[in-house]
Amino acid sequence: MAKAMSRAKAKSKPKPKSSPKRARKISAPTLKKASAKTTASPKPVIDQGLRDGIATLARIMENARRDLAALQANDLRLRDLPGATDELSAVVAATEDATHSILDAVEGIETIAGELAAAQGDAIRNNVTRIYEACNFQDITGQRIAKVVGVLKEVDKTVLGLMEAFGIALDAQAAPSATPAKTGEAALLNGPQLAGAAQDQAAIDALFGDS
Amino acid sequence: MAVDLKMNVLIVDDYKTMLRIVKNLLNQIGFTNVDEASDGSEALAKAQQKDYGLIISDWNMQPMTGLQLLQAVRADARLKGVPFIMVTAESKTENVIAAKQAGVNNYIVKPFNAAVLKGKIATVLGDF
């Protein structure tokens, strides 16, 4: 996508001879009228700048359509983007669980600190306070990740819009296109699995014959 | 001015971990009567049922935000005087201005430490 955009940017640079202001200001209706006129009359009735602008636009559109097809937008919308948001939600859930476990343990330590001599108890409590402060991270990272999830949803919406604009159908039935098959050890490195897809230790033990 | 450590304090955040952190830090400071709510509407309902000496609230929550809670508190004849501290990751100037205009007593930006929490409570309630 970024590649396509930078390419489009490079190509849309107006040539020094043409009038960049005019070329950039072409609105959709003008464009239609202008191209209709060109086909109707062999004589050019529009200036070179406008023709260049139209040609550039056509190239950009064609490139974008090709890029979108190459992007395998179906996979993106049906598999990759939902997969990414699931992974991020799993991050938030995991940090929340871990933070609660840390807080459980630290609250236990703080209770014990109350039974110790004042100097020892205070020293422990000071460290407990630092752990409480550090646990701020879960709120902050959770909010940051929620923002990224929002961005992914926007990307999803934009891809859908582009697919509609270019007449690329979203086909939920289509088999996901084959990603280049991983071989050897690389094929084994896909973890960590999401909660529903992960095997627990008992399942591993059973496979291992160690139950 | 002595602060009554027995006062009821209401803390509001949609992150359960943050509620636990703030509650534990308040306990360390000496406040023992701490209630929790996970958004503005739950907090408002609790505030209308009980007398609170201090409300400490996050901003970004659903369905009712901390700013809407603050506005509702300031608009309520019985609650309008309750000290209100915003604790939020929203650190832009316009946020602070909006909160001040709505009548916030102080503003703590996340992540925060225990000293800042205690210091701001002392600024709002008086030394303790």
Side-chain angles (χ1 to χ4, degrees), chain A residues 60-158:
Chain A
I60 292 169
M61 302 281 273
E62 177 51 26
N63 284 342
R65 198 197 61 75
R66 211 181 310 125
D67 285 342
L68 193 64
L71 197 61
Q72 280 143 353
N74 248 319
D75 292 353
L76 194 67
R77 293 212 66 243
L78 295 173
R79 186 189 64 199
D80 300 342
L81 285 173
T85 50
D86 286 350
E87 294 278 355
L88 291 174
S89 302
V91 171
V92 175
T95 59
E96 186 179 356
D97 284 351
T99 306
H100 279 301
S101 299
I102 293 167
L103 291 171
D104 284 342
V106 175
E107 285 169 17
I109 291 170
E110 194 175 19
T111 305
I112 297 167
E115 296 160 6
L116 298 176
Q120 286 172 315
D122 286 349
I124 291 173
R125 248 191 307 275
N126 283 340
N127 285 298
V128 163
T129 303
R130 288 171 58 196
I131 297 174
Y132 288 147
E133 290 169 355
C135 286
N136 260 287
F137 90 95
Q138 203 270 322
D139 177 302
I140 303 294
T141 55
Q143 293 194 56
R144 289 201 191 285
I145 289 172
K147 270 200 227 170
V148 175
V149 168
V151 171
L152 288 175
K153 286 184 177 154
E154 278 305 307
V155 171
D156 188 44
K157 239 197 278 173
T158 307

Side-chain angles (χ1 to χ4, degrees), chain B:
Chain B
M1 187 173 92
V3 170
D4 175 16
L5 292 171
K6 292 264 178 286
M7 71 167 61
N8 294 314
V9 179
L10 181 58
I11 59 177
V12 194
D13 204 300
D14 55 345
Y15 275 70
K16 292 203 163 38
T17 54
M18 185 53 69
L19 287 174
R20 280 184 80 173
I21 292 164
V22 175
K23 185 175 187 173
N24 282 318
L25 293 174
L26 288 173
N27 287 341
Q28 286 189 338
I29 294 168
F31 292 97
T32 48
N33 297 315
V34 180
D35 290 345
E36 302 174 0
S38 61
D39 88 293
S41 47
E42 190 189 345
L44 189 61
K46 288 196 171 181
Q48 282 163 345
Q49 301 293 319
K50 198 165 163 179
D51 288 328
Y52 288 100
L54 175 64
I55 297 174
I56 298 175
S57 178
D58 182 29
W59 186 323
N60 190 357
M61 297 176 291
Q62 295 294 331
M64 190 194 222
T65 68
L67 185 69
Q68 290 164 348
L69 170 65
L70 172 59
Q71 288 162 341
V73 164
R74 291 292 177 253
D76 184 297
R78 192 178 71 84
L79 300 175
K80 66 181 176 197
V82 179
F84 195 113
I85 298 176
M86 195 77 90
V87 181
T88 172
E90 308 293 344
S91 62
K92 289 192 169 175
T93 306
E94 51 260 43
N95 287 79
V96 181
I97 290 169
K100 277 183 88 170
Q101 281 171 347
V104 82
N105 296 84
N106 221 307
Y107 198 104
I108 298 174
V109 67
K110 290 176 181 173
F112 61 94
N113 61 37
V116 168
L117 179 65
K118 187 177 180 180
K120 298 306 176 195
I121 292 174
T123 303
V124 171
L125 298 181
D127 288 329
F128 55 91

